[in-house]
Coordinates of all heavy atoms in Angstrom, one line a residue:
Chain A
S800 N 4.3 -37.3 -5.2 CA 4.0 -38.5 -6.0 C 2.6 -38.5 -6.5 O 2.2 -39.4 -7.2 CB 4.2 -39.7 -5.1 OG 3.4 -39.6 -3.9
G801 N 1.8 -37.5 -6.1 CA 0.4 -37.4 -6.7 C -0.7 -37.8 -5.7 O -1.8 -38.0 -6.2
K802 N -0.4 -37.8 -4.4 CA -1.5 -38.2 -3.4 C -2.6 -37.2 -3.5 O -3.8 -37.6 -3.6 CB -0.9 -38.3 -2.0 CG 0.2 -39.3 -1.8 CD 0.6 -39.4 -0.4 CE 1.2 -38.2 0.2 NZ 2.6 -37.8 -0.3
T803 N -2.2 -35.9 -3.4 CA -3.3 -34.9 -3.4 C -4.0 -34.9 -4.7 O -5.3 -34.7 -4.7 CB -2.6 -33.5 -3.1 OG1 -2.0 -33.6 -1.8 CG2 -3.7 -32.4 -3.0
S804 N -3.3 -35.0 -5.8 CA -4.0 -35.1 -7.1 C -5.0 -36.2 -7.2 O -6.1 -36.0 -7.7 CB -2.9 -35.2 -8.2 OG -2.1 -34.1 -8.2
L805 N -4.6 -37.3 -6.6 CA -5.6 -38.5 -6.7 C -6.8 -38.1 -5.9 O -7.9 -38.4 -6.3 CB -4.9 -39.7 -6.1 CG -5.8 -41.0 -6.0 CD1 -6.4 -41.3 -7.3 CD2 -5.1 -42.1 -5.4
L806 N -6.6 -37.5 -4.7 CA -7.8 -37.2 -3.9 C -8.6 -36.1 -4.5 O -9.9 -36.2 -4.5 CB -7.3 -36.7 -2.5 CG -7.5 -37.7 -1.3 CD1 -6.7 -38.9 -1.6 CD2 -7.2 -37.0 0.0
R807 N -8.0 -35.1 -5.2 CA -8.7 -34.1 -5.9 C -9.5 -34.7 -7.0 O -10.6 -34.3 -7.4 CB -7.8 -33.0 -6.4 CG -7.3 -32.1 -5.3 CD -6.3 -31.1 -5.8 NE -7.0 -30.0 -6.5 CZ -7.6 -28.9 -5.9 NH1 -7.5 -28.8 -4.6 NH2 -8.2 -28.0 -6.6
A808 N -8.9 -35.7 -7.7 CA -9.6 -36.4 -8.8 C -10.8 -37.1 -8.3 O -11.9 -37.1 -8.9 CB -8.6 -37.3 -9.5
I809 N -10.7 -37.8 -7.1 CA -11.8 -38.6 -6.6 C -12.9 -37.6 -6.2 O -14.1 -37.8 -6.5 CB -11.4 -39.4 -5.3 CG1 -10.4 -40.5 -5.7 CG2 -12.6 -40.0 -4.7 CD1 -9.8 -41.2 -4.6
A810 N -12.5 -36.4 -5.6 CA -13.5 -35.4 -5.2 C -14.2 -34.8 -6.4 O -15.3 -34.3 -6.3 CB -12.8 -34.4 -4.4
G811 N -13.5 -34.8 -7.5 CA -14.1 -34.2 -8.7 C -13.5 -32.8 -9.0 O -14.1 -32.1 -9.9
L812 N -12.5 -32.4 -8.3 CA -11.9 -31.1 -8.6 C -10.9 -31.1 -9.7 O -10.6 -30.1 -10.3 CB -11.1 -30.6 -7.3 CG -12.0 -30.2 -6.1 CD1 -11.2 -30.0 -4.9 CD2 -12.8 -29.0 -6.4
L813 N -10.5 -32.3 -10.1 CA -9.5 -32.5 -11.1 C -10.0 -33.5 -12.1 O -10.4 -34.6 -11.7 CB -8.2 -33.0 -10.5 CG -6.8 -32.7 -11.1 CD1 -6.6 -31.2 -11.2 CD2 -5.7 -33.3 -10.3
P814 N -10.1 -33.1 -13.4 CA -10.6 -34.1 -14.4 C -9.6 -35.2 -14.6 O -8.4 -35.0 -14.7 CB -10.8 -33.3 -15.6 CG -9.9 -32.1 -15.5 CD -9.7 -31.9 -14.0
L815 N -10.1 -36.4 -14.7 CA -9.2 -37.6 -15.0 C -8.9 -37.6 -16.5 O -9.7 -37.2 -17.3 CB -9.9 -38.9 -14.6 CG -10.1 -39.1 -13.2 CD1 -11.2 -40.2 -12.9 CD2 -8.7 -39.6 -12.6
D816 N -7.7 -38.1 -16.8 CA -7.3 -38.2 -18.3 C -7.9 -39.5 -18.8 O -8.1 -39.6 -20.0 CB -5.8 -38.2 -18.4 CG -5.3 -36.8 -18.1 OD1 -5.6 -35.9 -18.9 OD2 -4.7 -36.6 -17.1
Q817 N -8.1 -40.5 -17.9 CA -8.7 -41.7 -18.4 C -9.2 -42.4 -17.2 O -8.8 -42.2 -16.1 CB -7.6 -42.6 -19.1 CG -8.1 -43.5 -20.1 CD -6.9 -44.3 -20.7 OE1 -6.0 -43.7 -21.2 NE2 -7.0 -45.6 -20.6
G818 N -10.2 -43.3 -17.4 CA -10.8 -44.1 -16.3 C -12.0 -43.4 -15.8 O -12.4 -42.3 -16.2
E819 N -12.6 -44.1 -14.8 CA -13.9 -43.7 -14.3 C -14.0 -44.0 -12.8 O -13.5 -45.0 -12.4 CB -15.0 -44.4 -15.1 CG -16.4 -43.8 -15.0 CD -16.5 -42.7 -16.0 OE1 -16.7 -43.0 -17.2 OE2 -16.5 -41.5 -15.6
I820 N -14.6 -43.1 -12.1 CA -14.8 -43.3 -10.7 C -16.3 -43.5 -10.5 O -17.1 -42.7 -11.0 CB -14.3 -42.2 -9.8 CG1 -12.8 -42.1 -9.9 CG2 -14.7 -42.3 -8.3 CD1 -12.2 -40.9 -9.3
H821 N -16.7 -44.5 -9.8 CA -18.1 -44.8 -9.5 C -18.5 -44.6 -8.1 O -17.7 -45.1 -7.2 CB -18.5 -46.2 -10.0 CG -18.5 -46.4 -11.5 ND1 -17.4 -46.6 -12.2 CD2 -19.5 -46.3 -12.4 CE1 -17.7 -46.7 -13.5 NE2 -18.9 -46.5 -13.6
W822 N -19.6 -44.0 -7.8 CA -20.1 -43.9 -6.4 C -21.5 -44.5 -6.5 O -22.3 -44.0 -7.3 CB -20.1 -42.4 -6.0 CG -20.8 -42.2 -4.7 CD1 -22.0 -41.6 -4.5 CD2 -20.3 -42.5 -3.4 NE1 -22.3 -41.6 -3.2 CE2 -21.3 -42.1 -2.4 CE3 -19.2 -43.2 -2.9 CZ2 -21.1 -42.3 -1.1 CZ3 -19.0 -43.4 -1.6 CH2 -20.0 -42.9 -0.7
R823 N -21.7 -45.5 -5.7 CA -23.0 -46.2 -5.7 C -23.4 -46.7 -7.1 O -24.5 -46.6 -7.5 CB -24.2 -45.3 -5.1 CG -24.0 -45.0 -3.7 CD -25.3 -44.3 -3.1 NE -25.1 -43.9 -1.8 CZ -25.1 -44.6 -0.7 NH1 -25.4 -45.9 -0.8 NH2 -24.9 -44.1 0.5
G824 N -22.4 -47.1 -7.8 CA -22.6 -47.7 -9.1 C -22.8 -46.7 -10.2 O -23.0 -47.1 -11.4
K825 N -22.7 -45.4 -9.9 CA -22.9 -44.4 -10.9 C -21.6 -43.7 -11.2 O -20.9 -43.3 -10.2 CB -24.0 -43.4 -10.5 CG -25.4 -44.0 -10.6 CD -26.4 -42.9 -10.2 CE -27.8 -43.5 -10.2 NZ -28.8 -42.6 -9.5
A826 N -21.4 -43.3 -12.4 CA -20.1 -42.6 -12.7 C -20.2 -41.2 -12.2 O -21.2 -40.5 -12.4 CB -20.0 -42.6 -14.3
T827 N -19.2 -40.8 -11.4 CA -19.3 -39.5 -10.7 C -19.1 -38.4 -11.7 O -19.5 -37.3 -11.5 CB -18.2 -39.4 -9.7 OG1 -16.9 -39.6 -10.3 CG2 -18.4 -40.4 -8.5
R828 N -18.5 -38.7 -12.9 CA -18.4 -37.7 -13.9 C -19.7 -37.1 -14.3 O -19.9 -36.0 -14.6 CB -17.6 -38.3 -15.1 CG -16.9 -37.3 -16.0 CD -15.9 -38.0 -16.9 NE -16.4 -39.3 -17.3 CZ -17.1 -39.4 -18.5 NH1 -17.4 -38.4 -19.2 NH2 -17.5 -40.6 -18.9
L829 N -20.7 -38.0 -14.3 CA -22.0 -37.6 -14.8 C -23.0 -37.3 -13.6 O -23.9 -36.5 -13.7 CB -22.7 -38.7 -15.6 CG -21.8 -39.1 -16.9 CD1 -22.4 -40.3 -17.5 CD2 -21.8 -38.0 -17.8
H830 N -22.7 -38.0 -12.5 CA -23.6 -37.8 -11.3 C -22.9 -37.2 -10.2 O -22.7 -37.7 -9.1 CB -24.2 -39.1 -10.9 CG -25.0 -39.8 -12.0 ND1 -26.3 -39.6 -12.2 CD2 -24.6 -40.6 -13.0 CE1 -26.7 -40.3 -13.3 NE2 -25.7 -40.9 -13.8
R831 N -22.4 -36.0 -10.4 CA -21.6 -35.3 -9.5 C -22.3 -35.0 -8.1 O -21.7 -35.3 -7.0 CB -21.2 -33.9 -10.1 CG -20.5 -32.9 -9.4 CD -19.0 -33.0 -9.5 NE -18.5 -34.0 -8.6 CZ -17.7 -34.9 -8.8 NH1 -17.2 -35.1 -10.0 NH2 -17.3 -35.7 -7.9
Q832 N -23.5 -34.6 -8.2 CA -24.3 -34.2 -7.0 C -24.4 -35.3 -6.0 O -24.4 -35.1 -4.8 CB -25.7 -33.7 -7.4 CG -25.8 -32.4 -8.1 CD -25.3 -31.2 -7.1 OE1 -24.3 -31.2 -6.6 NE2 -26.2 -30.3 -6.9
E833 N -24.6 -36.5 -6.5 CA -24.8 -37.6 -5.6 C -23.6 -38.0 -4.7 O -23.7 -38.4 -3.6 CB -25.3 -38.9 -6.4 CG -26.6 -38.5 -7.1 CD -27.1 -39.6 -8.0 OE1 -26.7 -40.8 -7.8 OE2 -27.8 -39.3 -8.9
L834 N -22.4 -37.8 -5.3 CA -21.2 -37.9 -4.5 C -21.1 -36.8 -3.6 O -20.8 -37.0 -2.4 CB -20.0 -38.1 -5.4 CG -18.7 -38.2 -4.7 CD1 -18.6 -39.4 -3.8 CD2 -17.5 -38.2 -5.7
S835 N -21.2 -35.6 -4.1 CA -20.9 -34.4 -3.2 C -21.8 -34.3 -2.0 O -21.5 -33.7 -1.0 CB -20.8 -33.1 -4.0 OG -21.9 -32.9 -4.8
A836 N -23.1 -34.8 -2.2 CA -24.0 -34.7 -1.1 C -23.5 -35.6 0.1 O -24.0 -35.5 1.2 CB -25.4 -35.2 -1.6
E837 N -22.7 -36.6 -0.2 CA -22.3 -37.6 0.8 C -20.8 -37.6 1.1 O -20.3 -38.5 1.7 CB -22.7 -39.0 0.4 CG -24.2 -39.2 0.3 CD -24.6 -40.6 -0.1 OE1 -24.5 -41.4 0.8 OE2 -24.9 -40.9 -1.2
M838 N -20.1 -36.5 0.6 CA -18.7 -36.5 0.8 C -18.2 -35.3 1.5 O -18.8 -34.2 1.4 CB -18.1 -36.5 -0.6 CG -16.6 -36.5 -0.7 SD -16.0 -36.2 -2.3 CE -16.4 -34.5 -2.5
S839 N -17.1 -35.5 2.3 CA -16.5 -34.3 2.9 C -15.0 -34.4 2.6 O -14.4 -35.4 2.5 CB -16.7 -34.4 4.4 OG -17.7 -33.6 4.8

Side-chain angles (χ1 to χ4, degrees):
Chain A
S800 58
K802 300 188 294 291
T803 300
S804 296
L805 176 60
L806 254 64
R807 287 179 75 84
I809 295 174
L812 290 168
L813 207 60
L815 289 160
D816 291 289
Q817 206 179 303
E819 199 81 76
I820 295 171
H821 289 84
W822 173 253
R823 294 192 186 277
K825 286 181 181 165
T827 55
R828 200 161 44 83
L829 303 171
H830 302 270
R831 176 87 278 132
Q832 287 293 56
E833 295 174 26
L834 176 61
S835 51
E837 294 184 75
M838 181 192 72
S839 262

